[in-house]
Amino acid sequence: QVQVVESGGGLVQAGESLRLSCAASGTIFSLDAMGWYRQAPGKPRLLVARITSGGDTKYADSAKGRFTISRDNAKNTVSLQMSSLKPEDTAVYVCYAEIRAYGFSSTAGYWGQGTQVTVSS
């Protein structure tokens, strides 16, 4: 079985920083792209940032210049460093990982449970 677990959410004031972490564990044969999505109340889940196993990154326009995604391939972890946070960044942040598990011939997408980030004005 494979698990994806986030940590690091919380309540901060506008302008402050926050770091989210996510760890994938279990019967992992290979770990491809990892990323962070967010979902605000009444809104769809949207990509925040994505990073491939080779380190190529992609950011939503709202995250460019303020957020930095990184990963540790040896530990199967991905982090999101968020700076200059704004009230509109308030959402549940969900980790996503493309994993090929042992016994399977293809990759599948795995989602974490999500962690709440609240930015007060």
Side-chain angles (χ1 to χ4, degrees):
Q1 292 186 349
V2 173
Q3 286 187 316
V4 176
V5 179
E6 306 99 333
S7 62
L11 171 64
V12 297
Q13 293 188 332
E16 294 185 339
S17 298
L18 199 62
R19 185 178 181 86
L20 305 181
S21 297
C22 171
S25 62
T27 56
I28 298 173
F29 178 80
S30 63
L31 181 56
D32 297 332
M34 301 183 78
W36 290 93
Y37 287 70
R38 69 185 184 188
Q39 187 166 20
K43 299 287 183 63
R45 183 174 292 183
L46 299 174
L47 175 70
V48 177
R50 182 177 184 271
I51 185 168
T52 67
S53 57
D56 294 328
T57 58
K58 177 180 179 179
Y59 294 91
D61 288 343
S62 59
K64 289 178 182 177
R66 299 189 301 127
F67 295 2
T68 301
I69 190 169
S70 61
R71 67 187 283 170
D72 185 331
N73 290 332
K75 297 181 179 180
N76 291 341
T77 59
V78 63
S79 298
L80 185 68
Q81 178 67 46
M82 304 184 291
S83 303
S84 303
L85 283 162
K86 306 174 182 179
E88 51 263 43
D89 293 318
T90 295
V92 174
Y93 284 69
V94 187
C95 181
Y96 173 79
E98 297 174 359
I99 296 171
R100 180 181 170 187
Y102 279 103
F104 292 82
S105 59
S106 61
T107 60
Y110 291 83
W111 296 91
Q113 295 282 357
T115 185
Q116 178 70 45
V117 172
T118 303
V119 184
S120 63
S121 57

